[in-house]
Amino acid sequence: MLENRKWVIIGIFCLVGLTYLARLFYLQVLDDTYSLGASKNSIKRVVEIPYRGQIYDRNNQLIVYNTPVYDLYVTPKQVRIPDTSAFCRMMNISVSDFDSIMGLAKNYSPVKPSLFLRQLSKEDFARIQDALVDYRGFEPVISSMRTYPAHTLSNALGYVSEISKKQLDSQDILYYRQGDYIGHNGLEEQYEEQLRGRRGVKFMMQNVHGVNKGSWKNGAYDTLAVAGQNLITGIDVDVQKYADSLMQNKVGAVLAVEPATGEILVSVSAPTYDPNLLSSRFFSKNYRALLRNPYKPLINRPVMSSYRPGSTFKLIQALIAQQQGSLLPTTVYGHAGSPMRCHCRGGNNLRGAVQNSCNPYFYYVFRKFLYFNGEHNTFKASAIGLKQWHDMAEKFGIGSKLGVDLPSEKKGNLPTPEYYDKAYGGTLRWKFSNVYSLSIGEGELLISPLKLVNLAATIANRGWFITPHYIKGFGKAGAGLPAEYLERHETGIDYKYYLPVIDGMRGAVAHGTVTPLANIAGIDLCGKTGTSQNNKFGHKFDHSIFIGFAPMNNPKIAVAVFVENAGWGGKAAASVAALVAERYLKRKTEAKKLEEQVMASNYMPPISGLPVSKKPAPVSPKKDTTQHKPAPVPKPLMTDTKAKPVVAAVLRGN
């Protein structure tokens, strides 16, 4: 009995021993969890940032590329600096800057590396490289900086800068770390995911002094960085730079699109700035200077600014009234009985009214449209008619976001009956006499240059448009193009109704409201002028507008131009548009006299505090100064998306 107990006890001890041996074998041979944990102090995880995708124009000219630079990181606990003053002189920073940077680094973590100096050029790094050996705790990391060889398109491109704390905290999927770069505004933000690529990770062995001893486990756990995709845009950079030059000493916007595809060819926001200013270690200083600039160069006017469209909106009035049946191409209206005066003679048909931008004509067109529903109560008729007017105009992309591939598009304002019900304190309290300023694109209408260039493209296509967009593809034209930029949007207006309107637009350029020099031979430009009200400096400083396309048949380019404070639409804006169209179609400029006039024009508004007299007065030979009472229009804010109700306004054509 005792002998049996002895063997049982021995068996138990043997079993326990075998269990320990098996567990020890598993931990030391099969499982590397503890090995990895023990290696943390000797293995350094190095994140490899991929090269950001480059950006090209439609002709494969480089717009944005990456320049190699060095970021200098510091680990505060390891820092040993025998002479701070000498170190600061070498780094070309002040002692106070050094103290501030080190304070931020210590607050972040005494033992983790954080950014000390960003974007040192190869020359700057070569100058300090040997001396850095004497200063422990500093480590250079190769990086890249966005470079803009064309020095243009700054507002549309956006910029790349350090990620903000708010963006870090709001990440759905953790990807970015403190100090990482991210696209802000423009195409850099819109296509951030494609441009940024995919980062890689390397595990490096290091000794107790932090000296690298090679790759850990021969790179078995390393992942390679994948460069971002190159973005091909529809921009024609040569025409873009030419349009920039035409908008010197002017405030406004120039947009051009290819009607058949919706690709944006030119996108100018004036005044602009060199995008390289926001792509350097002096980003904060340069950004603050641009932010303080009274002419607001950081605003991307083509998509963010809202203006009254003025007489350019008469084109929509003509189209929807024909479709409704309340207007025929042969319909003639005179000036009698209209509260709006005009620079042209009365008795125009539709073609003549578009050609001469006749205010009374479109006053009567709009009135008949609103009362065409047969309702005898004028209040109800106005509400019913305005609802139909809104729904038909909305199909041209007015009053809502078009969906351009930029993150900052504003929708503008296309008033509804509900809008006026609220403004006038209830239904049946307003009628046509309260809203007739809409007939010539004034009042509560607010439209961006993007919407108007889309209108020009829609008329060029005789009834449809593709949403304007900057992207042409990733890597090559057509590759990865989002489906929404292939879809045709129909306006619901029959093809035949566009023909008399286009005839009138051609007549406006050939012998109508456009300055004769802008009728450039060989491009067959069709267009419509507009003068948008702006009471800030008085009527002679109204905004100059032009939209059009060329050539008349099989159009290749549609263009919209806004020149703030430049007066008559047929002069400043039409001249810029004609020169842009000529340069795109002919690849050269033959209208030298017109070009000389445009280059010499200065329409910069006076800065607050300076007398208005210092602003050169624009030439407005065809401006109409007629009023209908009782009150002036409130001045439009450049970036307004809401308009206050206007009972009466100063109205004019062009």
Short mmCIF file of all heavy atoms in Angstrom, two decimals, residues 49 69-76 79 87 91 93 97-120 137-144 160-164 168 177-182 280-284:
data_model
loop_
_atom_site.label_atom_id
_atom_site.label_comp_id
_atom_site.label_asym_id
_atom_site.label_seq_id
_atom_site.Cartn_x
_atom_site.Cartn_y
_atom_site.Cartn_z
N ILE A 49 6.92 57.67 -44.49
CA ILE A 49 5.86 58.46 -45.13
C ILE A 49 6.03 58.37 -46.64
O ILE A 49 7.10 58.66 -47.18
CB ILE A 49 5.94 59.93 -44.68
CG1 ILE A 49 5.89 60.02 -43.16
CG2 ILE A 49 4.82 60.73 -45.31
CD1 ILE A 49 4.62 59.50 -42.55
N VAL A 69 13.02 67.12 -48.46
CA VAL A 69 13.48 67.99 -47.39
C VAL A 69 13.71 67.14 -46.14
O VAL A 69 13.46 65.93 -46.15
CB VAL A 69 12.46 69.12 -47.09
CG1 VAL A 69 12.37 70.11 -48.22
CG2 VAL A 69 11.09 68.53 -46.77
N TYR A 70 14.18 67.76 -45.08
CA TYR A 70 14.45 67.05 -43.83
C TYR A 70 13.69 67.69 -42.69
O TYR A 70 13.69 68.91 -42.53
CB TYR A 70 15.95 67.06 -43.51
CG TYR A 70 16.77 66.25 -44.47
CD1 TYR A 70 17.23 66.80 -45.67
CD2 TYR A 70 17.08 64.92 -44.21
CE1 TYR A 70 17.98 66.06 -46.57
CE2 TYR A 70 17.83 64.16 -45.10
CZ TYR A 70 18.27 64.74 -46.27
OH TYR A 70 19.02 64.00 -47.16
N ASP A 71 13.03 66.84 -41.89
CA ASP A 71 12.41 67.29 -40.64
C ASP A 71 13.32 66.86 -39.49
O ASP A 71 13.81 65.72 -39.47
CB ASP A 71 11.03 66.68 -40.45
CG ASP A 71 10.03 67.16 -41.50
OD1 ASP A 71 10.26 68.25 -42.06
OD2 ASP A 71 9.04 66.45 -41.74
N LEU A 72 13.55 67.74 -38.56
CA LEU A 72 14.42 67.46 -37.42
C LEU A 72 13.56 67.22 -36.19
O LEU A 72 12.78 68.08 -35.78
CB LEU A 72 15.38 68.63 -37.18
CG LEU A 72 16.52 68.39 -36.19
CD1 LEU A 72 17.44 67.28 -36.68
CD2 LEU A 72 17.31 69.68 -35.97
N TYR A 73 13.71 66.01 -35.60
CA TYR A 73 12.94 65.64 -34.42
C TYR A 73 13.83 65.68 -33.19
O TYR A 73 15.04 65.47 -33.26
CB TYR A 73 12.33 64.24 -34.59
CG TYR A 73 11.11 64.23 -35.49
CD1 TYR A 73 11.24 64.26 -36.87
CD2 TYR A 73 9.83 64.20 -34.95
CE1 TYR A 73 10.12 64.26 -37.69
CE2 TYR A 73 8.71 64.20 -35.76
CZ TYR A 73 8.86 64.23 -37.12
OH TYR A 73 7.76 64.23 -37.93
N VAL A 74 13.20 65.91 -32.02
CA VAL A 74 13.94 65.98 -30.77
C VAL A 74 13.27 65.09 -29.72
O VAL A 74 12.04 65.03 -29.64
CB VAL A 74 14.02 67.44 -30.26
CG1 VAL A 74 12.64 68.01 -29.98
CG2 VAL A 74 14.90 67.55 -29.02
N THR A 75 14.08 64.40 -28.95
CA THR A 75 13.61 63.63 -27.79
C THR A 75 14.16 64.33 -26.55
O THR A 75 15.35 64.23 -26.24
CB THR A 75 14.10 62.18 -27.84
OG1 THR A 75 13.71 61.59 -29.08
CG2 THR A 75 13.52 61.37 -26.69
N PRO A 76 13.33 65.11 -25.84
CA PRO A 76 13.83 66.00 -24.78
C PRO A 76 14.72 65.34 -23.74
O PRO A 76 15.71 65.92 -23.31
CB PRO A 76 12.53 66.53 -24.15
CG PRO A 76 11.53 66.48 -25.26
CD PRO A 76 11.88 65.25 -26.05
N VAL A 79 18.37 65.05 -24.77
CA VAL A 79 19.07 66.24 -25.27
C VAL A 79 20.26 66.61 -24.38
O VAL A 79 20.14 66.68 -23.15
CB VAL A 79 18.10 67.43 -25.37
CG1 VAL A 79 18.86 68.73 -25.64
CG2 VAL A 79 17.08 67.18 -26.47
N PHE A 87 24.23 76.61 -30.57
CA PHE A 87 23.29 75.71 -31.24
C PHE A 87 22.22 76.52 -31.99
O PHE A 87 21.89 76.21 -33.14
CB PHE A 87 22.64 74.78 -30.21
CG PHE A 87 21.63 73.85 -30.79
CD1 PHE A 87 22.02 72.69 -31.45
CD2 PHE A 87 20.27 74.12 -30.69
CE1 PHE A 87 21.08 71.82 -31.98
CE2 PHE A 87 19.33 73.27 -31.23
CZ PHE A 87 19.73 72.11 -31.87
N MET A 91 21.30 76.69 -36.02
CA MET A 91 19.96 76.37 -36.53
C MET A 91 19.24 77.59 -37.09
O MET A 91 18.13 77.48 -37.63
CB MET A 91 19.11 75.76 -35.40
CG MET A 91 19.60 74.40 -34.95
SD MET A 91 19.39 73.19 -36.28
CE MET A 91 20.08 71.74 -35.50
N ILE A 93 17.85 80.06 -35.43
CA ILE A 93 16.66 80.38 -34.65
C ILE A 93 17.09 81.17 -33.43
O ILE A 93 18.27 81.17 -33.05
CB ILE A 93 15.89 79.11 -34.21
CG1 ILE A 93 16.78 78.23 -33.32
CG2 ILE A 93 15.37 78.35 -35.41
CD1 ILE A 93 16.04 77.04 -32.74
N ASP A 97 12.84 81.12 -29.34
CA ASP A 97 12.19 80.10 -30.17
C ASP A 97 12.59 78.71 -29.71
O ASP A 97 11.76 77.79 -29.64
CB ASP A 97 12.55 80.29 -31.64
CG ASP A 97 11.85 81.49 -32.27
OD1 ASP A 97 10.84 81.93 -31.71
OD2 ASP A 97 12.34 81.98 -33.30
N PHE A 98 13.87 78.55 -29.40
CA PHE A 98 14.36 77.25 -28.92
C PHE A 98 13.64 76.84 -27.64
O PHE A 98 13.16 75.70 -27.51
CB PHE A 98 15.87 77.32 -28.69
CG PHE A 98 16.44 76.11 -27.99
CD1 PHE A 98 16.74 74.97 -28.71
CD2 PHE A 98 16.65 76.11 -26.62
CE1 PHE A 98 17.25 73.85 -28.08
CE2 PHE A 98 17.16 74.99 -25.98
CZ PHE A 98 17.47 73.85 -26.70
N ASP A 99 13.53 77.78 -26.70
CA ASP A 99 12.87 77.48 -25.43
C ASP A 99 11.41 77.12 -25.65
O ASP A 99 10.86 76.20 -25.01
CB ASP A 99 12.97 78.68 -24.48
CG ASP A 99 14.40 78.94 -24.03
OD1 ASP A 99 15.21 77.98 -24.07
OD2 ASP A 99 14.71 80.08 -23.64
N SER A 100 10.74 77.83 -26.57
CA SER A 100 9.33 77.56 -26.85
C SER A 100 9.15 76.17 -27.46
O SER A 100 8.26 75.42 -27.04
CB SER A 100 8.79 78.63 -27.80
OG SER A 100 7.46 78.35 -28.16
N ILE A 101 9.99 75.83 -28.43
CA ILE A 101 9.88 74.52 -29.09
C ILE A 101 10.16 73.39 -28.11
O ILE A 101 9.45 72.38 -28.07
CB ILE A 101 10.84 74.44 -30.29
CG1 ILE A 101 10.44 75.46 -31.37
CG2 ILE A 101 10.83 73.04 -30.89
CD1 ILE A 101 11.47 75.62 -32.47
N MET A 102 11.18 73.56 -27.29
CA MET A 102 11.53 72.52 -26.32
C MET A 102 10.42 72.37 -25.27
O MET A 102 10.13 71.26 -24.81
CB MET A 102 12.85 72.85 -25.64
CG MET A 102 14.06 72.70 -26.55
SD MET A 102 14.26 71.01 -27.22
CE MET A 102 14.55 70.08 -25.73
N GLY A 103 9.80 73.50 -24.89
CA GLY A 103 8.70 73.41 -23.94
C GLY A 103 7.53 72.61 -24.49
O GLY A 103 6.95 71.77 -23.78
N LEU A 104 7.19 72.83 -25.75
CA LEU A 104 6.12 72.06 -26.38
C LEU A 104 6.48 70.59 -26.49
O LEU A 104 5.63 69.71 -26.29
CB LEU A 104 5.83 72.63 -27.78
CG LEU A 104 5.18 74.02 -27.84
CD1 LEU A 104 5.13 74.53 -29.28
CD2 LEU A 104 3.76 73.98 -27.26
N ALA A 105 7.74 70.32 -26.82
CA ALA A 105 8.19 68.93 -26.96
C ALA A 105 8.11 68.20 -25.62
O ALA A 105 7.68 67.04 -25.55
CB ALA A 105 9.61 68.89 -27.50
N LYS A 106 8.50 68.87 -24.53
CA LYS A 106 8.45 68.24 -23.20
C LYS A 106 7.01 68.00 -22.76
O LYS A 106 6.69 66.99 -22.14
CB LYS A 106 9.17 69.11 -22.18
CG LYS A 106 10.68 69.13 -22.34
CD LYS A 106 11.33 70.12 -21.39
CE LYS A 106 12.85 70.17 -21.61
NZ LYS A 106 13.50 71.19 -20.74
N ASN A 107 6.13 68.94 -23.09
CA ASN A 107 4.72 68.76 -22.75
C ASN A 107 4.12 67.58 -23.49
O ASN A 107 3.25 66.88 -22.96
CB ASN A 107 3.93 70.03 -23.09
CG ASN A 107 4.22 71.17 -22.13
OD1 ASN A 107 4.66 70.93 -21.01
ND2 ASN A 107 4.00 72.40 -22.58
N TYR A 108 4.55 67.39 -24.74
CA TYR A 108 4.06 66.25 -25.51
C TYR A 108 4.55 64.94 -24.90
O TYR A 108 3.77 64.06 -24.58
CB TYR A 108 4.49 66.37 -26.97
CG TYR A 108 4.24 65.14 -27.80
CD1 TYR A 108 2.94 64.69 -28.04
CD2 TYR A 108 5.30 64.40 -28.33
CE1 TYR A 108 2.70 63.55 -28.78
CE2 TYR A 108 5.08 63.27 -29.08
CZ TYR A 108 3.77 62.84 -29.31
OH TYR A 108 3.54 61.71 -30.04
N SER A 109 5.88 64.81 -24.74
CA SER A 109 6.47 63.63 -24.10
C SER A 109 7.97 63.84 -23.94
O SER A 109 8.64 64.18 -24.91
CB SER A 109 6.22 62.37 -24.93
OG SER A 109 6.93 61.28 -24.37
N PRO A 110 8.50 63.62 -22.73
CA PRO A 110 9.95 63.75 -22.54
C PRO A 110 10.74 62.64 -23.22
O PRO A 110 11.93 62.81 -23.51
CB PRO A 110 10.11 63.68 -21.01
CG PRO A 110 8.75 63.91 -20.45
CD PRO A 110 7.80 63.38 -21.47
N VAL A 111 10.08 61.49 -23.47
CA VAL A 111 10.81 60.33 -23.97
C VAL A 111 10.47 59.99 -25.42
O VAL A 111 11.09 59.09 -26.00
CB VAL A 111 10.55 59.10 -23.07
CG1 VAL A 111 11.09 59.34 -21.67
CG2 VAL A 111 9.05 58.77 -23.02
N LYS A 112 9.48 60.66 -25.99
CA LYS A 112 9.12 60.39 -27.39
C LYS A 112 9.59 61.53 -28.28
O LYS A 112 9.57 62.69 -27.88
CB LYS A 112 7.60 60.23 -27.53
CG LYS A 112 7.04 59.00 -26.84
CD LYS A 112 5.54 58.92 -27.07
CE LYS A 112 4.95 57.68 -26.40
NZ LYS A 112 3.48 57.60 -26.60
N PRO A 113 10.00 61.21 -29.51
CA PRO A 113 10.44 62.27 -30.42
C PRO A 113 9.28 63.13 -30.90
O PRO A 113 8.19 62.62 -31.15
CB PRO A 113 11.07 61.50 -31.58
CG PRO A 113 10.45 60.15 -31.54
CD PRO A 113 10.14 59.87 -30.11
N SER A 114 9.51 64.42 -30.99
CA SER A 114 8.52 65.33 -31.56
C SER A 114 9.24 66.33 -32.45
O SER A 114 10.47 66.47 -32.39
CB SER A 114 7.73 66.06 -30.46
OG SER A 114 8.59 66.82 -29.65
N LEU A 115 8.47 67.03 -33.28
CA LEU A 115 9.06 67.89 -34.29
C LEU A 115 9.79 69.08 -33.66
O LEU A 115 9.26 69.75 -32.78
CB LEU A 115 7.97 68.39 -35.23
CG LEU A 115 8.43 69.14 -36.47
CD1 LEU A 115 9.18 68.21 -37.41
CD2 LEU A 115 7.24 69.76 -37.18
N PHE A 116 11.04 69.31 -34.15
CA PHE A 116 11.80 70.47 -33.69
C PHE A 116 11.86 71.53 -34.81
O PHE A 116 11.49 72.67 -34.61
CB PHE A 116 13.22 70.05 -33.28
CG PHE A 116 14.05 71.17 -32.75
CD1 PHE A 116 13.90 71.61 -31.44
CD2 PHE A 116 14.99 71.82 -33.55
CE1 PHE A 116 14.65 72.66 -30.94
CE2 PHE A 116 15.74 72.87 -33.07
CZ PHE A 116 15.57 73.29 -31.76
N LEU A 117 12.32 71.14 -35.99
CA LEU A 117 12.33 72.03 -37.15
C LEU A 117 11.83 71.26 -38.36
O LEU A 117 12.21 70.11 -38.58
CB LEU A 117 13.73 72.57 -37.44
CG LEU A 117 14.23 73.75 -36.62
CD1 LEU A 117 15.62 74.17 -37.09
CD2 LEU A 117 13.29 74.94 -36.69
N ARG A 118 10.97 71.92 -39.14
CA ARG A 118 10.37 71.26 -40.29
C ARG A 118 10.96 71.81 -41.59
O ARG A 118 11.34 72.97 -41.69
CB ARG A 118 8.86 71.51 -40.28
CG ARG A 118 8.08 70.68 -41.29
CD ARG A 118 6.62 71.04 -41.30
NE ARG A 118 5.87 70.60 -40.16
CZ ARG A 118 5.49 69.35 -39.94
NH1 ARG A 118 5.86 68.40 -40.78
NH2 ARG A 118 4.78 69.03 -38.89
N GLN A 119 11.07 70.91 -42.56
CA GLN A 119 11.37 71.28 -43.94
C GLN A 119 12.69 72.01 -44.10
O GLN A 119 12.76 73.11 -44.67
CB GLN A 119 10.22 72.11 -44.53
CG GLN A 119 8.92 71.32 -44.64
CD GLN A 119 7.79 72.13 -45.22
OE1 GLN A 119 7.79 73.35 -45.17
NE2 GLN A 119 6.80 71.46 -45.79
N LEU A 120 13.75 71.39 -43.61
CA LEU A 120 15.09 71.90 -43.89
C LEU A 120 15.47 71.46 -45.30
O LEU A 120 15.35 70.29 -45.66
CB LEU A 120 16.09 71.34 -42.89
CG LEU A 120 15.93 71.80 -41.43
CD1 LEU A 120 16.83 70.97 -40.52
CD2 LEU A 120 16.24 73.26 -41.28
N GLY A 137 20.10 63.63 -28.91
CA GLY A 137 18.65 63.81 -28.81
C GLY A 137 18.00 64.36 -30.05
O GLY A 137 16.77 64.49 -30.09
N PHE A 138 18.77 64.69 -31.09
CA PHE A 138 18.21 65.22 -32.33
C PHE A 138 18.37 64.20 -33.46
O PHE A 138 19.44 63.62 -33.63
CB PHE A 138 18.89 66.53 -32.71
CG PHE A 138 18.61 67.65 -31.76
CD1 PHE A 138 19.43 67.88 -30.67
CD2 PHE A 138 17.49 68.46 -31.93
CE1 PHE A 138 19.16 68.90 -29.78
CE2 PHE A 138 17.21 69.48 -31.05
CZ PHE A 138 18.05 69.70 -29.96
N GLU A 139 17.29 64.02 -34.21
CA GLU A 139 17.30 63.01 -35.27
C GLU A 139 16.65 63.58 -36.54
O GLU A 139 15.51 64.04 -36.49
CB GLU A 139 16.54 61.77 -34.82
CG GLU A 139 16.47 60.69 -35.90
CD GLU A 139 15.54 59.56 -35.50
OE1 GLU A 139 14.77 59.72 -34.53
OE2 GLU A 139 15.57 58.52 -36.17
N PRO A 140 17.35 63.54 -37.67
CA PRO A 140 16.76 63.99 -38.94
C PRO A 140 15.93 62.89 -39.59
O PRO A 140 16.29 61.71 -39.54
CB PRO A 140 17.98 64.34 -39.79
CG PRO A 140 19.05 63.42 -39.28
CD PRO A 140 18.77 63.20 -37.81
N VAL A 141 14.80 63.27 -40.17
CA VAL A 141 13.94 62.33 -40.89
C VAL A 141 13.66 62.94 -42.26
O VAL A 141 13.21 64.08 -42.37
CB VAL A 141 12.62 62.09 -40.14
CG1 VAL A 141 11.70 61.20 -40.97
CG2 VAL A 141 12.88 61.48 -38.78
N ILE A 142 13.94 62.17 -43.32
CA ILE A 142 13.70 62.69 -44.66
C ILE A 142 12.20 62.80 -44.93
O ILE A 142 11.41 61.94 -44.53
CB ILE A 142 14.39 61.81 -45.73
CG1 ILE A 142 14.39 62.54 -47.09
CG2 ILE A 142 13.73 60.44 -45.82
CD1 ILE A 142 15.33 61.93 -48.09
N SER A 143 11.81 63.88 -45.54
CA SER A 143 10.41 64.15 -45.83
C SER A 143 10.33 64.80 -47.21
O SER A 143 11.28 64.73 -47.99
CB SER A 143 9.84 65.06 -44.73
OG SER A 143 8.48 65.33 -44.97
N SER A 144 9.21 65.41 -47.51
CA SER A 144 9.06 66.08 -48.80
C SER A 144 8.21 67.33 -48.63
O SER A 144 7.43 67.46 -47.69
CB SER A 144 8.43 65.16 -49.85
OG SER A 144 7.12 64.79 -49.46
N VAL A 160 -0.88 71.90 -48.38
CA VAL A 160 -0.60 70.80 -47.46
C VAL A 160 0.08 71.37 -46.23
O VAL A 160 1.07 72.10 -46.35
CB VAL A 160 0.29 69.74 -48.13
CG1 VAL A 160 0.65 68.64 -47.14
CG2 VAL A 160 -0.42 69.15 -49.34
N SER A 161 -0.45 71.06 -45.05
CA SER A 161 0.16 71.55 -43.82
C SER A 161 -0.10 70.56 -42.69
O SER A 161 -0.78 69.54 -42.88
CB SER A 161 -0.39 72.93 -43.45
OG SER A 161 -1.76 72.85 -43.12
N GLU A 162 0.43 70.87 -41.51
CA GLU A 162 0.33 69.96 -40.38
C GLU A 162 -1.13 69.77 -39.96
O GLU A 162 -1.92 70.71 -39.95
CB GLU A 162 1.14 70.51 -39.21
CG GLU A 162 1.26 69.55 -38.05
CD GLU A 162 2.20 70.06 -36.97
OE1 GLU A 162 3.01 70.96 -37.26
OE2 GLU A 162 2.11 69.57 -35.82
N ILE A 163 -1.47 68.54 -39.62
CA ILE A 163 -2.82 68.22 -39.22
C ILE A 163 -3.16 68.93 -37.92
O ILE A 163 -2.32 69.07 -37.03
CB ILE A 163 -3.01 66.69 -39.09
CG1 ILE A 163 -4.48 66.34 -38.91
CG2 ILE A 163 -2.14 66.13 -37.96
CD1 ILE A 163 -4.77 64.85 -39.01
N SER A 164 -4.40 69.39 -37.81
CA SER A 164 -4.83 70.10 -36.61
C SER A 164 -5.28 69.11 -35.54
O SER A 164 -5.58 67.94 -35.83
CB SER A 164 -5.98 71.05 -36.94
OG SER A 164 -7.14 70.33 -37.31
N LEU A 168 -7.20 65.47 -35.84
CA LEU A 168 -6.68 64.26 -35.19
C LEU A 168 -7.76 63.58 -34.37
O LEU A 168 -7.91 62.36 -34.41
CB LEU A 168 -5.49 64.62 -34.30
CG LEU A 168 -4.11 64.72 -34.94
CD1 LEU A 168 -3.10 65.23 -33.92
CD2 LEU A 168 -3.67 63.38 -35.51
N ARG A 177 -0.88 60.89 -37.28
CA ARG A 177 -0.27 61.15 -35.98
C ARG A 177 0.01 62.64 -35.86
O ARG A 177 0.00 63.36 -36.86
CB ARG A 177 1.03 60.37 -35.82
CG ARG A 177 0.94 58.87 -36.09
CD ARG A 177 2.33 58.30 -36.30
NE ARG A 177 3.01 58.98 -37.40
CZ ARG A 177 4.32 58.99 -37.57
NH1 ARG A 177 5.11 58.39 -36.70
NH2 ARG A 177 4.85 59.64 -38.59
N GLN A 178 0.29 63.08 -34.65
CA GLN A 178 0.66 64.47 -34.46
C GLN A 178 1.90 64.78 -35.30
O GLN A 178 2.87 64.03 -35.31
CB GLN A 178 0.95 64.75 -32.99
CG GLN A 178 1.27 66.22 -32.72
CD GLN A 178 1.44 66.51 -31.23
OE1 GLN A 178 1.13 65.66 -30.41
NE2 GLN A 178 1.93 67.68 -30.90
N GLY A 179 1.85 65.90 -36.01
CA GLY A 179 2.97 66.31 -36.86
C GLY A 179 2.84 65.86 -38.30
O GLY A 179 3.61 66.30 -39.16
N ASP A 180 1.85 64.98 -38.59
CA ASP A 180 1.66 64.53 -39.98
C ASP A 180 1.11 65.67 -40.84
O ASP A 180 0.45 66.58 -40.34
CB ASP A 180 0.70 63.35 -40.03
CG ASP A 180 1.37 62.04 -39.66
OD1 ASP A 180 2.61 62.03 -39.54
OD2 ASP A 180 0.66 61.03 -39.48
N TYR A 181 1.37 65.55 -42.14
CA TYR A 181 0.83 66.51 -43.11
C TYR A 181 -0.50 65.99 -43.65
O TYR A 181 -0.69 64.78 -43.82
CB TYR A 181 1.80 66.70 -44.26
CG TYR A 181 2.96 67.62 -44.00
CD1 TYR A 181 3.19 68.14 -42.73
CD2 TYR A 181 3.82 68.00 -45.02
CE1 TYR A 181 4.24 68.99 -42.49
CE2 TYR A 181 4.89 68.86 -44.79
CZ TYR A 181 5.09 69.35 -43.52
OH TYR A 181 6.14 70.19 -43.29
N ILE A 182 -1.37 66.95 -44.02
CA ILE A 182 -2.66 66.59 -44.60
C ILE A 182 -3.08 67.71 -45.54
O ILE A 182 -2.69 68.87 -45.36
CB ILE A 182 -3.71 66.37 -43.49
CG1 ILE A 182 -4.99 65.76 -44.07
CG2 ILE A 182 -4.00 67.65 -42.73
CD1 ILE A 182 -5.99 65.34 -42.99
N SER A 280 6.22 75.98 -47.17
CA SER A 280 7.56 76.15 -46.63
C SER A 280 7.47 76.15 -45.11
O SER A 280 6.39 76.13 -44.54
CB SER A 280 8.18 77.46 -47.12
OG SER A 280 7.56 78.56 -46.49
N ARG A 281 8.62 76.19 -44.47
CA ARG A 281 8.65 76.21 -43.00
C ARG A 281 8.12 77.52 -42.45
O ARG A 281 7.88 77.66 -41.25
CB ARG A 281 10.07 75.98 -42.51
CG ARG A 281 11.08 76.94 -43.10
CD ARG A 281 12.49 76.52 -42.81
NE ARG A 281 12.85 76.71 -41.42
CZ ARG A 281 14.12 76.73 -40.99
NH1 ARG A 281 15.10 76.53 -41.84
NH2 ARG A 281 14.38 76.93 -39.73
N PHE A 282 7.91 78.52 -43.34
CA PHE A 282 7.37 79.81 -42.91
C PHE A 282 5.87 79.89 -43.19
O PHE A 282 5.32 80.97 -43.39
CB PHE A 282 8.11 80.94 -43.63
CG PHE A 282 9.60 80.88 -43.44
CD1 PHE A 282 10.42 80.52 -44.50
CD2 PHE A 282 10.18 81.15 -42.22
CE1 PHE A 282 11.79 80.45 -44.34
CE2 PHE A 282 11.54 81.09 -42.05
CZ PHE A 282 12.36 80.73 -43.10
N PHE A 283 5.20 78.73 -43.22
CA PHE A 283 3.77 78.65 -43.52
C PHE A 283 2.96 79.60 -42.64
O PHE A 283 2.15 80.38 -43.13
CB PHE A 283 3.28 77.21 -43.34
CG PHE A 283 1.78 77.07 -43.35
CD1 PHE A 283 1.10 76.93 -44.54
CD2 PHE A 283 1.05 77.11 -42.17
CE1 PHE A 283 -0.28 76.82 -44.56
CE2 PHE A 283 -0.32 77.00 -42.17
CZ PHE A 283 -0.99 76.86 -43.38
N SER A 284 3.15 79.53 -41.32
CA SER A 284 2.33 80.31 -40.39
C SER A 284 2.46 81.81 -40.66
O SER A 284 1.46 82.54 -40.71
CB SER A 284 2.71 80.00 -38.95
OG SER A 284 2.45 78.66 -38.65
#
